[in-house]
Amino acid sequence: MTKLTKATITFDNGAAPIELPMLSGTLGNDVIDIRSLGKHGVFTYDPGFMSTAACNSDITFIDGEKGLLYYRGYPIEQLAEHCNFMEVSYLLLHGELPNAEQKQQFTNTINGSTMLHDQLSNIFRGFRRDAHPMAVMVGVVGSLSAFYFDTMDIRDAKCREISAHRLLAKVPTIAAWSYKYNLGQPFMYPQNHLNYAENFMHMMFATPCEKYVPNPVLAKAFERILILHADHEQNASTSTVRLVGSSGASPYACISAGIASLWGPAHGGANEATLTMLEEIGDVSRIGEFIKRAKDKNDTFRLMGFGHRVYRNMDPRAKIMRTTCHEVLDALGLHDDPMFKLAMELEKIALEDDYFVSRKLYPNVDFYSGIVMRAMGIPNSMFTAIFALARTAGWIAQWSEMVSDEELKIGRPRQLYNGCTRRDLLPIEQR
Ligand code: CMC
């Protein structure tokens, strides 16, 4: 971080101008350092953090105008092509790609922690069978604090590392078990000779009665989904993890909060919402009606899986997932499936329609990942849970970075108060 030049704020009420430093990172926009502004009796107003950098970070870089995404400087296209999810997780956590020995050691460490404390199965059993997997995950991941409190000293780098490994290892088991519980099938224990993606597929799809062999095309597609969703800068759920963690909270509580934030349909819930929308549209002949609704200012309906807060160009993850989507549909012979035909037609129309083109609303990664997961036989309700298990890698990297940052301050935004000014209460009989 270098100090560049200065910015000056002037006021038209006669107050003295304020000079503020400007900071420059290695890539991306310069920022005005407003930390001293409060001393002058003014704050900034920026709901939704449209123009506010809340932290400095070395992990992920996005250029939304150009459609670029880098993890630790590596373009997402190269990582998706040449790495597996363990290498990408190591990269996010440690800042460098592992060599062969480090990769093996890291994989062994994660594999060694994939099982859950046996008593955790009782926590699952406290939920209704028909509970949404994300509701179960918020609860069960949060409950890890009650099981693994031996490493709660977050100021200790070793404790932080152990918590990070445990989360990376156990969240897939929790996600798969939330599905098994919903189905009423027995929980399947992890098989540590399988890779991360295959192991998750095994825990989701295997039963004790039959041997399960993961389809290699689907396992590769699943690995891609994990890599593409692993981190995405300071999005809503990552910012939630940071805000919760800024008070010194347990890492398990922080990740549980991240899962809660991710669940919303404007964020990670979009992949599930996309498939629900496609089911509602039902037939190619009804696309026009839904496009019309999406454009209508008086209708709250939005085309799910389209648009992004940061990308004003095609999301690079969406480009990769689009290719994977076609690979999976080919491998499974599903190109003629009516739902996939409908999705492809919707994509075509939205890419040509002036409303979407002029607003730069491209299909996003969740549009394609939803289609891929459906083709793989994953139910809609599990889509966001899978997003959560991928994003756990990014959340813990961001959390670790924040906790070890010397500039860490508890997150505490200001507000523009618009409520009543001081008034005196009336006794209840006079109100
Ligand atoms: N369908 C129809 N119109 C849209 C859509 C959409 N999906 N997205 C944005 N618009 C319109 C919006 O009405 C506005 O129009 P106007 O300028 O006439 O008022 C304009 O485009 C700009 O929209 P915005 O709400 O200011 O954009 P935003 O940056 O605040 O919202 C978004 C981004 C992702 C929340 C939004 O595009 C959206 O709701 N998309 C659908 C949900 C979705 O797919 N979310 C997944 C995002 S990718 C996964 C992730 O990284 O979490």
Side-chain angles (χ1 to χ4, degrees), residues 60-323:
T60 295
F61 173 75
I62 302 172
D63 184 326
E65 292 297 327
K66 295 191 184 131
L68 303 176
L69 169 62
Y70 303 158
Y71 294 165
R72 302 280 191 183
Y74 293 108
I76 190 68
E77 294 82 357
Q78 292 183 23
L79 294 167
E81 181 69 25
H82 301 292
C83 293
N84 71 12
F85 185 64
M86 283 293 90
E87 286 170 278
V88 170
S89 300
Y90 184 100
L91 172 70
L92 290 170
L93 269 174
H94 297 285
E96 295 297 336
L97 280 168
N99 62 28
E101 192 189 330
Q102 289 165 330
K103 179 180 167 183
Q104 192 55 54
Q105 208 174 23
F106 184 69
T107 307
N108 292 346
T109 305
I110 300 303
N111 283 349
S113 280
T114 49
M115 280 214 308
L116 303 181
H117 190 292
D118 201 42
Q119 238 175 298
L120 264 163
S121 57
N122 297 331
I123 307 261
F124 280 90
R125 293 197 171 90
F127 287 97
R128 282 172 57 137
R129 287 271 177 198
D130 56 355
H132 193 286
M134 286 296 275
V136 176
M137 282 186 73
V138 169
V140 178
V141 173
S143 81
L144 294 177
S145 315
F147 288 85
Y148 302 101
F149 43 76
D150 53 332
T151 52
M152 285 303 201
D153 183 2
I154 61 163
R155 289 159 306 173
D156 179 335
K158 191 68 202 162
C159 287
R160 290 200 297 274
E161 191 182 34
I162 294 172
S163 304
H165 292 162
R166 282 182 175 156
L167 279 157
L168 207 48
K170 293 182 197 304
V171 169
T173 314
I174 295 172
W177 283 21
S178 66
Y179 174 61
K180 286 298 197 193
Y181 183 71
N182 179 275
L183 277 187
Q185 287 185 0
F187 296 138
M188 293 301 291
Y189 286 96
Q191 292 289 319
N192 294 340
H193 66 279
L194 297 172
N195 72 31
Y196 198 86
E198 292 168 342
N199 205 358
F200 178 74
M201 289 166 70
H202 156 82
M203 289 189 285
M204 257 201 85
F205 295 123
T207 67
C209 316
E210 281 172 29
K211 189 170 163 57
Y212 174 78
V213 182
N215 174 326
V217 177
L218 302 190
K220 186 177 155 212
F222 192 72
E223 187 103 41
R224 283 254 160 93
I225 291 175
L226 298 183
I227 293 171
L228 298 183
H229 287 85
D231 197 43
H232 211 229
E233 214 223 57
Q234 307 309 320
N235 53 81
S237 57
T238 303
S239 302
T240 301
V241 169
R242 280 184 176 264
L243 187 57
V244 175
S246 73
S247 72
S250 131
Y252 307 108
C254 297
I255 302 304
S256 168
I259 296 171
S261 167
L262 186 76
W263 193 4
H267 190 8
N271 46 21
E272 179 178 349
T274 299
L275 262 291
T276 308
M277 175 192 76
L278 289 176
E279 280 159 10
E280 199 189 336
I281 297 175
D283 188 77
V284 175
S285 63
R286 295 189 64 208
I287 291 180
E289 182 192 319
F290 281 81
I291 297 261
K292 200 169 152 209
R293 282 187 62 194
K295 296 177 184 177
D296 184 353
K297 285 271 155 272
N298 300 318
D299 192 328
T300 53
F301 174 78
R302 280 190 167 193
L303 219 49
M304 287 292 128
F306 287 80
H308 198 277
R309 165 60 63 83
V310 180
Y311 293 114
R312 302 298 174 195
N313 202 318
M314 185 87 172
D315 175 344
R317 303 168 303 168
K319 278 191 203 161
I320 303 167
M321 204 26 70
R322 187 176 191 276
T323 308

